[in-house]
Amino acid sequence: MLKNWRALDPTKSVGVRLFLIFLVSMVVFVSSLGILSYVKARDTIKENAASANQQTIIQTSQKMDIILQRYLDASTQIFFNPEIESAINNLQRGTTEFERFQAVRQINDSLSNQVNVTSGLQAIYFLPTDEASNNFFTAGSQVPTPEDIRAASWYADLTGGKKNVMWVPTDAARGSYTLARLMSTTNGSGAKFIVALQLNVKTLEEQLTSVTLGDGSHIELISEDGTSIASDVKGTEGQPTALSFADREMQDSGKFEAKQSGKNVLAAYNTMETSGWKLIGTVPVEYLLSGASGILTLIVIFVVVAVLVAAVIGVWIIRMIGHPLGLLKGLMQEGATGNLSVRSDYRSKDEIGELSTAFNRMMDRITDLIRQTTDTAQQVLDTAGELEEASKQTAISAREIAIATEEIANGASSLAQEAEKSTELTERIGSRMEKVVSANLEMDVSAKEVQTASRQGTEHLDKLLTQTGGTENMVRSLVTRVDALKESTASVMKVLDVMQNITKQTNILSLNATIEAARAGAAGQGFMVVAGEIRQLASRSRESIDMVGEITDNIQSEMEETVRTLSTVYPMFQDQVHAVKQTSGIFDSVQEQMEQFSGKLEGVTASIGELGRAQTTMAEAMASVSAVAEQSSATSQEVASLSSEQQNVGVRLVELSAKLSNASNELKESISKFTV
């Protein structure tokens, strides 16, 4: 169970990493595309709705401008009505109270007629700017007093010459707004009057209630000081506006998004030309975006589908890439422990299949090399054993020669005293000489056998050295080929970069085509569909290129791991070559020592011949025992010297044999670590 969980660890499995990368990329791409589409649709809906609302507000404000302009024209007609002008002249020229009363009544009657015939007109009054005059002409209901009029701020603006026309905001108590003008008579007297038309606000409210911008919308006419002139909500006229953004700086016309009562609203406004008031309409963004909620549902569905598709493709990637790589990694780890019998049974035509085949070929070559090295090491070990036996026999013979030489020396020193025993000693010397000759012959045969074994060992080591060098060259060639494969992979990455750039350019061209198709309107709908298909094709191409790039990166990482493994094996082959070279040097040294030994054996043989001739001479000339004894003493000393030297050579040969045996055992132990 733990092993299966380790196989799902992203840090341990390249297949799981590819699966997670593909899954995350797919989810992020689909989610990002869906969110961007939703945001784009939402912004488009809000922009189109804001533009439509702005046009509606502009048209409504233009209608209301026409109404206000009509009242402005009506104020001019009323003031310059011939009857009213005549009555004003009569009032100014009247000498009696009756004449002035008749003039005032005529003016009031004319104003009453105007109130009756003008729709929306609640009241009308003329107030002279001369405060000493008591004249005040009115008609209609709810007319303010002259004192209230003169105390108003707009009265000071008119009389002070700042403005000629004033639109007074709605009075909540009277339910009306006022048009006030400063006008002068044309009879030459220059009398100035404040002409005011008190207008019913319902006329404006009817216009506002007839306009709807959608569910939850609100439309309101606001004065410059933030007072609500008219609204589609009853009871708000004459009150400060409830719009929280009414005090922000606005142009003559425009649209914007703002907060109102904790909700986002789209606001559109337009400034009326006649009064300078602003008509503002708002609609909740939530209402406008209610149709876009289906896009979010579609996005969620696409994300779920993308996750499922990515999961299926990810499992397929793990089985196609991660599983064979995991098996190959396990085989390499087992091979690293010394088991050279492992082989991969994965077969495919891709890079992983080629890597599996190359792994099998490498293990075959290494197995053959280890098998040959094992055989050669066994031969060397056997030869070393034979050489050690021959060296021991040589040492024994050398000791016997040394003993015989000592006896000859003892006999030569006592020859003068034991002359009477010369015959017996001669016979004894003869038998000893036969043994020496036999030992020399055996030593000569052993020396030749050692030379032959040494030569064979040298030949086997040279062959082993050649095979090991060939294996080293094959490993070096394998490293070179893997490096070349890495360079090819780098070339593939460059090609992928070029394809990525081409995909980006295609995406940009499709986007430009979409823009041009949108500009073309209905005639470009077909081309817009084609451009969309091109953009989708470019997106899929970019995803495929990214996936191929990831796979190529992982293959390159595995090739680098293979190079590191081969680099680890390569020093082992170099150590084997070095050990074989040392063994070959030992064999060469043994062969040189044996050649020297053979030469010394020839010298011993010659000495023994001389000893034989001396023994014959001693037998033939027993009379001159003293002279012969002296000659025998000298000959014995020479033989003793040669015997000592021969014994040293035998000891040296035994040491060399032991070294050769140790080297063979070490080579065998090194090779035994591998299981063929």
Side-chain angles (χ1 to χ4, degrees), residues 454 583-595 652 656:
S454 177
T583 305
S584 178
I586 293 173
F587 273 108
D588 293 337
S589 177
V590 169
Q591 189 171 5
E592 291 177 0
Q593 294 292 334
M594 291 305 302
E595 289 177 356
R652 178 61 178 169
L656 293 175

Side-chain angles (χ1 to χ4, degrees), residues 543-615:
E543 294 174 358
S544 301
I545 292 170
D546 292 340
M547 183 176 68
V548 173
E550 293 292 338
I551 294 173
T552 305
D553 289 339
N554 292 323
I555 292 174
Q556 193 168 11
S557 300
E558 294 299 331
M559 288 191 293
E560 290 176 355
E561 184 66 24
T562 303
V563 171
R564 285 195 293 271
T565 303
L566 293 176
S567 299
T568 305
V569 175
Y570 184 72
M572 297 174 61
F573 284 109
Q574 289 183 335
D575 293 338
Q576 291 182 4
V577 173
H578 183 66
V580 172
K581 288 182 179 179
Q582 288 182 346
T583 305
S584 178
I586 293 173
F587 273 108
D588 293 337
S589 177
V590 169
Q591 189 171 5
E592 291 177 0
Q593 294 292 334
M594 291 305 302
E595 289 177 356
Q596 294 177 3
F597 181 71
S598 296
K600 291 179 180 180
L601 281 177
E602 291 176 359
V604 171
T605 303
S607 298
I608 292 173
E610 291 178 1
L611 184 60
R613 288 191 295 274
Q615 189 268 343

Side-chain angles (χ1 to χ4, degrees), residues 387-401:
L387 180 61
E388 186 175 5
E389 291 295 330
S391 300
K392 290 180 180 179
Q393 292 178 2
T394 302
I396 293 172
S397 299
R399 282 196 298 271
E400 292 179 354
I401 292 173

